[in-house]
Amino acid sequence: LTKAAGERGLGQVPSWLDEGTAVYAQTEPGDGCLDPFELAAITDQLIPFRMMIGGNTNPNKVGLYYGQSYQMVRFLIETSGEAEFARLFATIKEGTRFDRAIEIVYGWTLDEFESEFRGHHGLSPRMPLPSASRGVINSSSKGTATQIVGLSIKSSCNAGSA
């Protein structure tokens, strides 16, 4: 799917969009994706959207990652239809960054998309994370801050950047 959307420069499909679309295309996503998402939604433990961009390296969050990716894609399609979802991919293929493409197609910044998604699932908006062009979930942590690979965070615990 990433190949179909193009991998030029900043116009790359984020991992959650690639994986979520693949799960959405299945006949059924399966309980291995849906159960972890449902539990995380009930307990307000969803993965911040900015941490979903580059993929998941935490083996304890695989089901949640795929389930949330699927639900994010499903939300976009149910909100504005398949034509707008296809337009999102076309906009990315033209070389537009995915976060800007979401803003062009849906009218939301990435943080606003997350707030809308969380509201749809009965949750309050999340305080935004520092801006990032990409990040992945990582199971390692230093001090009290979780290390986000590919995202530079200034912190007293020396999370640093990878």
Side-chain angles (χ1 to χ4, degrees):
L1 181 60
T2 303
K3 301 284 186 239
E7 293 189 9
R8 299 181 306 162
L10 296 174
Q12 294 184 359
V13 175
S15 180
W16 68 264
L17 184 55
D18 189 14
E19 300 300 344
T21 302
V23 174
Y24 186 85
Q26 297 174 5
T27 306
E28 274 187 42
D31 293 340
C33 288
L34 295 181
D35 290 347
F37 174 81
E38 294 297 327
L39 179 60
I42 290 168
T43 59
D44 195 5
Q45 297 295 312
L46 296 179
I47 302 165
F49 280 20
R50 291 188 184 278
M51 293 178 67
M52 297 280 294
I53 298 167
N56 174 49
T57 63
N58 183 340
N60 297 319
K61 295 202 182 228
V62 170
L64 172 57
Y65 181 82
Y66 281 91
Q68 186 169 326
S69 296
Y70 162 75
Q71 292 291 348
M72 290 165 72
V73 165
R74 182 176 169 201
F75 177 74
L76 290 173
I77 293 170
E78 288 179 356
T79 297
S80 297
E82 291 183 5
E84 290 298 282
F85 189 70
R87 196 178 107 181
L88 174 64
F89 274 95
T91 304
I92 294 169
K93 185 176 183 176
E94 291 170 356
T96 305
R97 284 176 49 118
F98 83 92
D99 51 346
R100 180 71 182 119
I102 289 171
E103 198 168 345
I104 291 167
V105 174
Y106 294 94
W108 299 319
T109 65
L110 187 59
D111 291 333
E112 290 167 340
F113 171 31
E114 182 170 14
S115 291
E116 292 290 327
F117 178 82
R118 289 177 57 83
H120 179 76
H121 291 283
L123 301 170
S124 60
R126 181 186 313 278
M127 296 300 291
L129 291 172
S131 288
S133 60
R134 45 175 230 149
V136 297
I137 303 164
N138 189 313
S139 59
S140 67
S141 62
K142 295 181 179 184
T144 58
T146 301
Q147 181 181 22
I148 302 171
V149 178
L151 169 63
S152 178
I153 298 176
K154 293 183 179 177
S155 163
S156 61
C157 65
N158 278 334
S161 63

